[in-house]
Every structure is written in C-alpha cells, then in structure tokens.
C-alpha cells in the first residue's frame, strides 16, 4: 500500500473505523514507513486534543441578559411567531385559491389550449354562473316544476361550480400540508 | 424525550418562562460551547447563545417531539452560527479572537494549537468535528443536526482531522 493511500486512511485507522483487511494493510505499511508512523502519531495527538478540549462556562452576564430579555419580551416573541405562522398559512390558502380558480376557469371554458382572448375567457367563465342564477330565479319567481325549468346547461353549471369549490378546498389543504411538512422537516427528523 | 422535559416543553409553549429557564439551564453549556467552537469568538458566541434561546422560546410551539429537544436546539444553534459566519464572512480566528479564547481558559500548548487550527477549518468540517468529537454525537445524530447523511458527517470529520493534522505537522517542523 502506498503512502498516499495510507495517508487518506489515517484518521479512520486511528478512530478504529477501518475494515479489518484495510487495518491489516495499514499496519503492515506502518511497520516499514517511519514517515507514515509520524503521521499516525500526529493524528493520535489531534484526536486526543480535540476530545480533551475543555468546555467553557457560560458567562454570567450572558445568562442574566438572556433571562432579562425573556422576562420583558417572552410573550411578545411567541405572539409574533404565532402571527407569522398564521400569515404563512393565509398566503398558502390565497395561493391555493388562485391556482384553483385558474384551473376551474380553464375547465369551465374548455379552453385548454388557451386560444380565446381574455375577454372571451372571462365571458365564458361567467356563463355558467349566469345560468345558475337564471335557474334559481326561475324556481323562485315562477314556482314552476323543477323538471320543467332544469336544463342540461344548468346541471353543467351547478357541477362546475361545485367542482370549483372542491378544487379550492383541496388545493388549500394540500398547500397547508406541504407547508407544515416543510416546516417540520426543517427542524427535526424522526431519526431516533 | 423524558416526561419531565416533555412537561417543560409544553409549559414553555404556553408561555411559562420559568419552565423555559429550566430548559435553558439544562442545555446552556452545550449550546454555548457549540457556538464557541464553531464561531471561534467568545463575544460572537454570547450573541449566538442569546439568539438561539430567544428563537427557541418563540418557536417552541412548533416542536412536535419527533426528535430529542437537544437535537432541535442544536440545529437552531448550527443554523444561527452559519448565518453569523456568512454575515461576517469569517472562517478563521483573528488575533483578538485568539486572545479571547486564550483568556477563556485554553490550557496546554497542544490544546490551544488545536483550538486555533479548528478556527481555520471550513464551517462544515469544524461543525462535524465539534459535534462528533467534542460533544459526542454519533454520525447519525450529527447528520440530523447538520441535515446531511451520516456518511457525509464521517467524511467531514476525517477531512477536518486530516487538515488539523497537517497544520500541527507544519508547526512541529
């Protein structure tokens, strides 16, 4: 085994983390190479010094300053954090609602290839709502039999409106879950 | 997490500063020494120490107990130290910081040399060496705190120590 290879393995060797075959090869090399033996000696000194590095006491004034701030502003800090999380959730819902509305509009107008103009898109989007309104109006004003006033386009509009609501709710729930998951993963993992 | 610590966390989340003070007392040494070894400066470590515990108190309501409380706390500590380091764009000790560390009780030559050399390492190697070799976290535990795989921590520790070995080897020539 060459010195360069042994040098790359020295830390693992000193820590006892090498496989037995490699450990044996390193030992055999060390028996005949004083330069590498010196490096192993240095590595052992480093390992011992690092572990021996004493802990320092926390300065009293640092502790006093911390407790002082905690006493004065503790509840304010927690309140600000709760507000920050609420604002994040609101943003998540707003983004989800926006995405859902766009998706619903595309679905309602059937303009998957986005070939219509903006005005046409908006007019197409309003059509189902207009029909729902007409239907409700017909029921309320004329007191007519439901079957006589119910048209296929009315059913389509009702379904589209229901789909919009469901899409908005689903997107908001998914967005909220993703945000909560991202926040949790940032701080801890169930590793042990 | 023990029942007692779990109770302290719950009470702290409800705004009980006395309960949180007990948590501070239990973990203050580790947080301060982790910050001190990574930042290499006692004054910076004091700033980070206060930031970490104020952040922890503000966000303790989000701690769900999926890992140990100490792990969560040391993750905050590491993130704070990284932010401080990148803000101040400093990866090695300057003379005043070295004096600060000497005044804080560095003992023999070898220990002081290692501490000085540690300050010259890149942050990822320094953090790995501090967490695994000084504080005693396993590679897995340190990996959770540093947000890297355990194998990566092992590599960082070995590379960090190899660099320290080279520095000490140069000094002894």
């Amino acid at each position: 085994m060459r010195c360069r290879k042994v040098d790359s393995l020295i830390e693992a060797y000193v820590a006892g983390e090498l496989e037995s075959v490699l450990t044996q090869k390193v030992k055999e090399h060390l028996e005949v190479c004083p330069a590498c033996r010196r490096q192993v000696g240095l590595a052992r000194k480093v390992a011992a010094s690092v572990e021996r590095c004493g802990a320092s006491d926390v300065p009293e004034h640092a502790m006093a300053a911390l407790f002082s701030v905690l006493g004065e502003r503790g509840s304010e800090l927690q309140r600000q954090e709760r507000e920050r999380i609420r604002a994040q959730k609101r943003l998540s819902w707003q983004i989800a609602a926006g995405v859902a509305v766009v998706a619903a509009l595309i679905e309602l107008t059937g303009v998957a290839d986005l070939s219509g103009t903006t005005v046409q898109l908006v007019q197409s989007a309003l059509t189902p709502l207009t029909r729902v309104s007409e239907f409700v109006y017909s029921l309320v004003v004329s007191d007519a039999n439901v079957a006589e006033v119910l048209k296929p386009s009315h059913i389509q509009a009702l379904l589209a409106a229901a789909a919009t609501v469901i899409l908005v709710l689903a997107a908001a729930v998914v967005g909220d879950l993703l945000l909560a998951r991202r926040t949790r993963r940032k701080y801890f993992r169930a590793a042990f | 997490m023990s029942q007692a610590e779990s109770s302290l966390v719950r009470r702290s989340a409800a705004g009980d500063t006395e309960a949180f003070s007990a948590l501070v007392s239990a973990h203050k040494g580790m947080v301060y020494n982790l910050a001190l070894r990574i930042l290499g400066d006692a004054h910076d470590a004091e700033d980070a120490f206060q930031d970490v515990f104020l952040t922890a108190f503000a966000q303790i309501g989000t701690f769900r107990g999926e890992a140990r409380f100490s792990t969560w706390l040391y993750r905050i500590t590491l993130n704070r130290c990284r932010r401080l380091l990148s803000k101040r764009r400093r990866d090695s000790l300057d003379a005043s910081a070295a004096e600060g560390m000497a005044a804080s009780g560095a003992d023999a030559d070898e220990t002081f040399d290692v501490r000085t050399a540690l300050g010259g390492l890149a942050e990822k190697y320094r953090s790995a060496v501090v967490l695994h070799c000084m504080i005693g976290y396993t590679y897995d535990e340190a990996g959770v705190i540093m947000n890297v795989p355990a194998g990566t921590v092992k590599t960082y520790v070995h590379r960090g120590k190899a660099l320290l070995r080279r520095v000490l080897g140069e000094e002894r020539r």
Side-chain angles (χ1 to χ4, degrees):
Chain A
M1 191 176 266
R2 289 174 183 268
C3 290
R4 181 180 259 187
K5 177 66 178 172
V6 170
D7 190 79
S8 72
L9 296 173
I10 281 178
E11 271 65 39
Y13 171 74
V14 165
E17 292 172 1
L18 279 186
E19 294 171 1
S20 53
V21 171
L22 272 177
T23 300
Q24 187 56 36
K25 285 185 178 177
V26 169
K27 276 183 179 170
E28 285 166 8
H29 179 88
L30 292 175
E31 280 169 12
V32 299
C33 181
C36 285
R37 279 202 301 275
R38 178 174 176 270
Q39 291 300 317
V40 169
L42 284 174
R44 289 205 163 104
K45 279 186 175 28
V46 166
S49 293
V50 163
E51 282 171 29
R52 221 173 30 233
C53 238
S56 301
D57 289 332
V58 182
E60 280 299 322
H61 62 265
M63 291 293 291
L66 171 63
F67 289 133
S68 171
V69 174
L70 265 177
E72 285 169 11
R73 297 180 49 214
S75 47
E76 176 65 19
L77 287 170
Q78 287 193 336
R79 190 196 64 75
Q80 284 175 353
E81 179 63 19
R82 281 194 294 270
E83 183 50 45
R84 188 187 68 81
I85 291 171
R86 267 198 293 270
Q88 256 181 349
K89 284 193 174 183
R90 270 199 300 272
L91 180 63
S92 160
W93 278 85
Q94 285 163 2
I95 291 172
V99 168
V101 164
V102 169
L105 277 175
I106 293 171
E107 178 200 330
L108 288 172
T109 61
V111 192
D113 59 355
L114 301 176
S115 58
T117 63
T118 306
V119 172
Q120 286 173 343
L121 278 171
V122 171
Q123 284 176 341
S124 300
L126 288 175
T127 304
L129 293 174
T130 307
R131 287 182 179 155
V132 168
S133 307
E134 287 172 0
F135 172 63
V136 171
Y137 176 78
S138 306
L139 281 179
V140 170
V141 171
S142 68
D143 194 30
N145 186 294
V146 171
E148 288 176 5
V149 299
L150 195 62
K151 296 191 177 76
S153 58
H154 293 159
I155 301 296
Q156 184 186 358
L158 280 171
L159 287 174
T164 305
V165 171
I166 290 169
L167 269 174
V168 169
L169 286 174
V173 167
V174 168
D176 199 43
L177 281 172
L178 284 174
L179 181 67
R181 186 185 155 92
R182 182 172 168 269
T183 304
R184 276 202 298 276
R185 198 167 52 209
K186 187 180 175 185
Y187 287 110
F188 47 79
R189 236 175 259 162
F192 47 87
Chain B
M1 195 165 55
S2 67
Q3 292 273 30
E5 193 166 75
S6 182
S7 167
L8 287 174
V9 168
R10 260 198 315 275
R11 285 166 52 198
S12 300
D16 186 345
T17 51
E18 273 192 32
F20 189 73
S21 298
L23 289 170
V24 170
S25 297
H27 298 283
K28 62 181 182 185
M30 287 296 197
V31 168
Y32 179 71
N33 280 281
L34 179 58
L36 183 61
R37 301 291 171 247
I38 292 175
L39 296 170
D41 179 82
H43 298 300
D44 289 349
E46 286 172 27
D47 288 343
F49 175 81
Q50 185 168 98
D51 279 347
V52 165
F53 279 112
L54 290 178
T55 301
F57 185 68
Q59 297 181 355
I60 199 164
T62 65
F63 177 66
R64 295 284 178 265
E66 291 177 7
R68 289 194 295 197
F69 179 75
S70 57
T71 304
W72 181 73
L73 200 57
Y74 300 153
R75 177 77 79 83
I76 296 175
T77 306
L78 202 60
N79 288 338
R80 276 280 176 244
C81 289
R82 281 174 178 162
R83 244 173 269 167
L84 268 169
L85 279 174
S86 65
K87 187 180 171 187
R88 290 164 197 192
R89 283 182 192 149
R90 187 172 59 179
D91 264 350
S92 55
L93 292 172
D94 60 15
S96 59
E99 282 167 17
M101 288 199 64
S104 73
D107 26 83
D109 288 324
E110 286 183 0
T111 309
F112 184 74
D113 284 344
V114 167
R115 284 182 175 176
T116 306
L118 201 59
L121 294 183
E123 180 271 321
K124 59 185 178 182
Y125 300 142
R126 196 187 321 158
S127 299
V129 169
V130 169
L131 285 169
H132 177 68
C133 305
M134 291 183 178
I135 295 181
Y137 274 111
T138 63
Y139 291 129
D140 282 323
E141 292 166 339
V144 171
I145 295 172
M146 294 181 69
N147 201 23
V148 296
T152 304
V153 176
K154 191 173 178 179
T155 302
Y156 287 170
V157 168
H158 289 168
R159 283 202 192 143
K161 282 182 166 179
L163 288 168
L164 291 175
R165 171 165 54 93
R166 285 202 183 90
V167 169
L168 290 181
E170 289 295 321
E171 285 179 1
R172 274 162 172 72
R173 283 219 179 111

